[in-house]
Amino acid sequence: MPFADLATNARLYYDDLGKGEAVIAVHGRLGTGRGDLGTVMDWLSADYRVLAPTLRGYGHSEPKPRRFPPDFYYVDASDVLAFMDALNITKAHLMGYSDGGEVALIAAGKQPARFKSVCVWGAVGYFGEGMRPYVQRSYPPTWISAEDRELHGIDNPDAFALEWISAMKHMIDRGGDVSLSLAPNMSCPLLLMLGDQDKLNPEEYGRKFVKQTPRGHLQMFKCGHGVHEERWQEFQRVVG
């Protein structure tokens, strides 16, 4: 199994498929590269080299346990950039789903010259007050299955969920800027995709983010959070 030892003191397991220009694909909460994005990876690997790191604390990646400090998205974004350094990838296309989308927006905002394009879905870069009730509904953690606990080494699901909720509420309380202030830095094309039934990521927040980018576009789909799972053919057409 391939691992990358990073300057950020993380050790990330990753999938590496195909050949050509590099695409970095970042999974969401409670996911792995293959688990969340396997279909996308297989599709893109016909024309690109697809690299999908599993974020720290998830799956086989370290350190464990997975933690959620108030700046955890920035920690993960630093890991993604360090992952590129470790594999000597100077420039790539960047994709991210859900929490991985938030990570991708930060990485692209911090080092925009390293990315040829950015494509995210289920992420908005801004957490307004409207998100608070949906964040709070993540407790009790009935969404953490026994399989998730085993895969990610989650000994205490309550603590896992409460730490994530606390971090999310901290971001909302401080004004909601996850990566919104970085949006003007993104010089490459940005495609942001949202489902119109995704209550955690409302269209108005997506439009707020895209408006701040030089070359951003928002594409709406008639579905929920997992655009690539619920609208696969449309996803292929828009992304392709």
Side-chain angles (χ1 to χ4, degrees):
M1 296 186 295
F3 286 87
D5 292 304
L6 311 185
T8 54
N9 296 319
R11 187 169 193 255
L12 303 189
Y13 173 84
Y14 65 97
D15 292 281
D16 188 349
L17 305 176
K19 296 180 180 180
E21 292 184 353
V23 177
I24 309 298
V26 190
H27 66 84
R29 182 182 63 171
L30 278 186
T32 64
R34 171 55 60 180
D36 273 3
L37 302 173
T39 303
V40 178
M41 292 161 52
D42 292 340
W43 169 54
L44 290 174
S45 66
D47 299 298
Y48 298 91
R49 181 187 181 190
V50 184
L51 295 146
T54 292
L55 299 174
R56 61 167 63 204
Y58 288 122
H60 298 296
S61 294
E62 300 172 350
K64 287 187 176 298
R66 172 67 191 190
R67 302 303 305 271
F68 296 100
D71 64 343
F72 74 89
Y73 285 129
Y74 279 79
V75 172
D76 287 332
S78 294
D79 284 347
V80 168
L81 294 168
F83 173 77
M84 293 175 65
D85 292 339
L87 272 65
N88 297 313
I89 298 171
T90 57
K91 199 161 188 173
H93 300 281
L94 181 61
M95 306 184 79
Y97 165 55
S98 193
D99 270 13
E102 302 296 352
V103 171
L105 292 175
I106 293 170
K110 288 179 65 177
Q111 295 189 18
R114 301 193 68 173
F115 300 104
K116 300 178 181 181
S117 70
V118 180
C119 172
V120 304
W121 61 104
V124 287
Y126 170 77
F127 295 169
E129 277 295 327
M131 281 191 178
R132 190 182 298 274
Y134 298 100
V135 168
Q136 290 176 270
R137 288 173 195 168
S138 291
Y139 190 85
T142 54
W143 43 275
I144 302 178
S145 68
E147 291 78 10
D148 290 331
R149 292 181 63 176
E150 181 176 358
L151 175 62
H152 304 298
I154 301 172
D155 295 328
N156 188 333
D158 285 355
F160 182 96
L162 288 171
E163 189 173 35
W164 181 83
I165 291 169
S166 176
M168 297 291 284
K169 289 171 71 174
H170 173 81
M171 288 180 249
I172 295 171
D173 290 342
R174 69 179 186 183
D177 181 5
V178 181
S179 57
L180 184 63
S181 60
L182 298 174
N185 299 343
M186 296 183 193
S187 53
C188 68
L190 165 69
L191 172 62
L192 195 155
M193 300 181 289
L194 296 174
D196 61 2
Q197 300 163 43
D198 185 352
K199 301 302 183 182
L200 190 60
N201 296 281
E203 180 179 352
E204 64 176 299
Y205 294 169
R207 294 201 179 279
K208 183 182 182 75
F209 188 89
V210 167
K211 187 177 180 180
Q212 299 299 315
T213 63
R215 302 172 65 187
H217 173 71
L218 173 64
Q219 181 71 39
M220 297 299 299
F221 293 76
K222 293 186 179 300
C223 65
H225 189 61
V227 175
H228 63 305
E229 298 169 333
E230 299 178 53
R231 289 290 184 266
W232 174 237
Q233 291 185 338
E234 292 176 62
F235 178 93
Q236 287 179 292
R237 176 179 56 80
V238 173
V239 175

